[in-house]
Amino acid sequence: MSDSGLSRFLGGSPAQVILRLVFLSFVVGIILSALNLDPLDLVNMAVNFVERLWDMGFNAIGRLGNYLVVGAIVVVPIWLITRILSMGRTR
């Protein structure tokens, strides 16, 4: 990869990007320390959040399935009756 390609990929010269990343890492480290947060705690919080969303999603799918079955108990017989009655009219 050429220097211009690398610079384009990184968003600036490699030295500038490294300095920017070091500075931002330092600032974020200070903020996290002030908030008494550990990076592993953040990872665990993110994993727990995704797991809760995942579980809620499957619970929602289960509820949708229940709604589908309850609705089908009413809709399918009505549809079947209307189809049977319309067959008698067409002949």
Side-chain angles (χ1 to χ4, degrees):
M1 188 183 256
S2 67
D3 271 344
S4 64
L6 180 63
S7 294
R8 196 169 39 245
F9 174 74
L10 294 175
S13 72
Q16 287 175 335
V17 172
I18 289 172
L19 285 174
R20 201 175 320 143
L21 288 174
V22 166
F23 175 75
L24 286 174
S25 297
F26 183 71
V27 170
V28 169
I30 290 173
I31 293 170
L32 289 176
S33 292
L35 295 174
N36 199 24
L37 290 174
D38 186 85
L40 288 179
D41 290 340
L42 293 175
V43 170
N44 288 332
M45 287 173 20
V47 168
N48 289 336
F49 177 72
V50 170
E51 286 176 348
R52 282 195 314 266
L53 281 179
W54 184 268
D55 292 340
M56 285 176 20
F58 281 114
N59 288 335
I61 290 171
R63 282 195 308 263
L64 288 175
N66 288 339
Y67 294 151
L68 177 69
V69 170
V70 169
I73 289 171
V74 173
V75 170
V76 171
I78 293 172
W79 173 80
L80 188 59
I81 291 169
T82 58
R83 295 302 298 164
I84 291 170
L85 292 176
S86 69
M87 280 178 46
R89 278 188 261 158
T90 58
R91 288 186 181 184

